[in-house]
Amino acid sequence: SSDLAPCINLKSWVQTLRPLTSKIKPLGPRDVLPNNRQLYEIILTYNFHQPKSGEVTPSCPLLCDLLYESEFDSQLWIIFDQNKRQMGSGDAYPHQYSVKLEKGDYTIRLQIRHEQMSELDRLKDLPFIVAHRMTSTLSLDVYESHSVALLGKKKVNSSTLPPKHSQPFFVTMLPDDKIPKGAGPGCYLAGSLTLSKTEMGKKAGQSAAKRQKKLKKDVVSVHYHLVPSPTKPKNGSKEKEKDTDKEKDIKEEFADALRDLKIQWMAKLDTSDLYNELKEAYPNHLPLYLARLQQLDSEKERMTRLKEIIEASNEVMSRIDQTALAVYAAMKTDPRPDAATIKNDMDKQKTTLIDALCRKGCALADKVIQFQVQDGAASTITDDDQESDFDALTDTFWETAKWTDVSDAKVLPFAYKHALASKMYGRGLKFATKLVEEKPTKENWKNCIQLMKFLGWSHCASFSENWLPVMFPPDYSVF
């Protein structure tokens, strides 16, 4: 007889990727085989997002674990971050090449070689998988009978199985709140099933797996495929009931849809005619003024339109009842039946208000910095207009601090510019460093270097400047 204690542990979640681009080209003169047989390569590009820092194991299921017996000449992959910096590489044996990655977006380039272009062309849509190791192992509940599993009663702890007998076990679903962040339909959780209760039995199972040349040494591998998560009402459960009781007129629905479409197209058109037309028709529609602000703030000639950005920000803020918003924020519980709908509306208004304050603050800071550069960076602003701009900048900063933490990711660009305009370079470097941690772009690093120079930290500035070509290579490294 054998003592059994069935246990299913899931250790990683796996996502399948499809290539965004594929390119086939002949290789150089060193890659010509005897009898002038030319070798070709296909480079497939995949993108994926790492939800949080952790270990990943990329692999190509069609070709992995094949080397000399493979029909293709070679397979190599390289992972790059969003700045084209190489993070890791590997070949046919994925279990040997795990890479630790921080949160962010990454690109994988896979190279496969063959002497026939037609064979490579067949691989232009080749799937690729990335296994993300989970920080904590997930366990599935195991039951002895179907009825007990349905009711979710007593789980299996241990049982004794006589020789030549079989015992079915039943496994239930994983709760939705335990699904790792970033995993969704099309992904699966990977792990193993162990049956033996004793450590000796587990070791015997692993030895058998080794003899069978199973690289993962699991007794039985388990794949748990994910399904779409349950749908939840967006604005409270009673929203749909209200919609059915009071149906919108079809013409009114069409007018609203047309208005929203025009607002979406505002940012794509250089003219202000569409905005003026919508402003006359919908003078109190808040998303219209927010779209206008975002349009002005994202223009190429933004520095010439700072005054318009400030005015647009004021337009947005004037249409938000800040007193009502502050009263709602002070409430601990909301007993009203439509509390979920009200919360959703208030959250949107708060987000819009903070966005408008930050954009206004950035525009005011740019105006002050522009004046300082032109006038030789005087310690005190004597011009009345510029002094009023600086006062408005300070007021906007403290107003923003009332609604959110200045270290919040959305507020950091404004907090950095406010410190720069106020000549608080140490404080500015603190915010600039946080910006680099949030978005490690070349522009953010240059802002840090600029502040180091203002502080007289020439050694830090030169060290960081020397590292820029390494951190931000001009192109992907070659295979």
Side-chain angles (χ1 to χ4, degrees):
S1 61
S2 300
D3 292 330
L4 302 181
C7 179
I8 297 177
N9 291 320
L10 304 171
K11 300 170 186 174
S12 60
W13 66 274
V14 183
Q15 67 179 134
T16 306
L17 309 174
R18 285 283 191 179
L20 295 177
T21 60
S22 61
K23 188 176 180 182
I24 301 175
K25 66 176 185 180
L27 291 164
R30 74 169 199 167
D31 294 297
V32 177
L33 298 174
N35 302 326
N36 289 325
R37 289 181 296 155
Q38 175 69 53
L39 273 179
Y40 297 86
E41 70 168 3
I42 182 171
I43 294 181
L44 302 164
T45 306
Y46 306 84
N47 285 354
F48 73 97
H49 178 72
Q50 179 74 359
K52 60 180 181 179
S53 60
E55 193 177 279
V56 300
T57 306
S59 69
C60 179
L62 183 70
L63 302 173
C64 67
D65 299 333
L66 295 174
L67 192 60
Y68 299 112
E69 62 271 29
S70 176
E71 294 295 328
F72 293 90
D73 184 57
S74 70
Q75 50 166 312
L76 295 168
W77 55 261
I78 306 176
I79 294 186
F80 301 91
D81 66 6
Q82 56 190 355
N83 298 316
K84 298 181 179 177
R85 187 171 53 159
Q86 183 174 333
M87 307 303 293
S89 57
D91 58 14
Y93 300 106
H95 65 285
Q96 297 179 0
Y97 303 102
S98 294
V99 184
K100 287 185 178 178
L101 300 177
E102 295 298 320
K103 178 184 175 181
D105 296 312
Y106 293 90
T107 298
I108 297 177
R109 283 163 62 85
L110 172 67
Q111 182 207 48
I112 303 169
R113 307 194 309 173
H114 198 272
E115 58 183 289
Q116 296 292 332
M117 284 184 66
S118 58
E119 295 299 326
L120 293 175
D121 191 57
R122 292 173 58 243
L123 303 179
K124 63 183 179 181
D125 296 316
L126 182 68
F128 194 88
I129 66 171
V130 178
H132 303 255
R133 189 172 184 82
M134 293 187 287
T135 50
S136 56
T137 303
L138 297 176
S139 298
L140 293 177
D141 295 336
V142 183
Y143 300 88
E144 277 190 347
S145 68
H146 186 258
S147 58
V148 175
L150 281 176
L151 297 173
K153 289 186 176 178
K154 190 180 178 184
K155 302 174 196 173
V156 173
N157 290 324
S158 62
S159 61
T160 302
L161 190 66
K164 299 182 181 180
H165 279 67
S166 62
Q167 168 67 50
F169 291 106
F170 299 85
V171 183
T172 54
M173 285 178 61
L174 194 68
D176 290 307
D177 59 350
K178 288 191 176 181
I179 303 296
K181 186 181 178 182
C187 301
Y188 63 88
L189 307 180
S192 61
L193 162 68
T194 54
L195 291 170
S196 180
K197 184 179 179 180
T198 62
E199 287 299 322
M200 289 296 290
K202 290 176 184 177
K203 286 179 180 178
Q206 288 186 357
S207 299
K210 270 187 180 179
R211 287 195 299 272
Q212 293 166 18
K213 296 184 179 179
K214 289 182 181 176
L215 296 170
K216 288 190 177 178
K217 300 182 185 177
D218 294 332
V219 179
V220 179
S221 62
V222 174
H223 288 175
Y224 181 92
H225 292 271
L226 299 176
V227 295
S229 55
T231 53
K232 295 178 181 177
K234 290 183 181 177
N235 299 326
S237 57
K238 298 195 177 179
E239 177 96 9
K240 290 184 179 178
E241 292 176 19
K242 286 189 176 182
D243 287 345
T244 52
D245 294 342
K246 187 183 176 181
E247 288 186 358
K248 273 190 173 182
D249 181 69
I250 194 73
K251 289 183 180 178
E252 198 179 330
E253 253 186 67
F254 172 72
D256 288 352
L258 186 62
R259 175 200 65 197
D260 295 342
L261 181 65
K262 285 181 177 179
I263 289 172
Q264 287 176 14
W265 273 88
M266 265 174 46
K268 300 175 184 178
L269 302 172
D270 294 333
T271 178
S272 300
D273 297 339
L274 191 58
Y275 168 68
N276 294 329
E277 175 197 324
L278 289 166
K279 188 179 177 182
E280 286 181 18
Y282 306 97
N284 297 316
H285 189 56
L286 181 60
L288 168 64
Y289 296 97
L290 180 62
R292 175 62 175 171
L293 171 59
Q294 291 169 346
Q295 177 193 6
L296 291 169
D297 202 33
S298 58
E299 284 189 2
K300 289 181 181 177
E301 302 297 323
R302 176 184 172 276
M303 292 300 290
T304 61
R305 310 193 73 171
L306 296 176
K307 189 176 179 181
E308 291 177 69
I309 292 169
I310 295 165
E311 289 171 359
S313 300
N314 291 331
E315 285 271 17
V316 171
M317 289 186 285
S318 67
R319 282 164 176 78
I320 297 173
D321 189 345
Q322 295 185 37
T323 305
L325 193 59
V327 169
Y328 178 80
M331 289 175 66
K332 289 186 178 179
T333 55
D334 191 350
R336 289 172 286 188
D338 54 346
T341 308
I342 294 169
K343 182 182 184 304
N344 187 50
D345 182 51
M346 288 297 182
D347 288 346
K348 280 183 181 177
Q349 286 191 45
K350 184 181 176 182
T351 304
T352 303
L353 177 63
I354 293 168
D355 186 39
L357 283 166
C358 290
R359 290 178 191 272
K360 178 185 177 180
C362 286
L364 285 165
D366 285 332
K367 280 185 77 176
V368 172
I369 293 166
Q370 207 172 39
F371 175 78
Q372 290 173 350
V373 170
Q374 290 169 358
D375 265 35
S379 59
T380 306
I381 300 173
T382 54
D383 185 87
D384 292 339
D385 291 336
Q386 298 304 326
E387 192 172 348
S388 65
D389 280 343
F390 188 80
D391 291 341
L393 171 63
T394 306
D395 292 341
T396 304
F397 180 78
W398 291 118
E399 188 66 28
T400 307
K402 288 179 188 176
W403 294 102
T404 187
D405 186 3
V406 292
S407 297
D408 187 75
K410 294 176 183 175
V411 187
L412 278 175
F414 171 37
Y416 154 72
K417 286 189 176 183
H418 171 260
L420 190 61
S422 306
K423 298 184 182 178
M424 300 177 182
Y425 299 133
R427 190 162 165 267
L429 183 58
K430 174 187 169 184
F431 290 129
T433 306
K434 286 185 178 179
L435 270 172
V436 164
E437 290 171 3
E438 290 287 332
K439 276 188 178 179
T441 61
K442 195 172 186 177
E443 184 184 350
N444 286 341
W445 267 108
K446 284 184 175 179
N447 290 338
C448 288
I449 292 167
Q450 180 193 22
L451 287 164
M452 289 171 189
K453 288 178 178 177
F454 285 153
L455 289 164
W457 298 356
S458 55
H459 58 295
C460 293
S462 60
F463 179 82
S464 300
E465 279 180 330
N466 291 338
W467 266 100
L468 283 179
V470 178
M471 292 189 289
F472 304 96
D475 204 357
Y476 295 114
S477 58
V478 296
F479 285 96

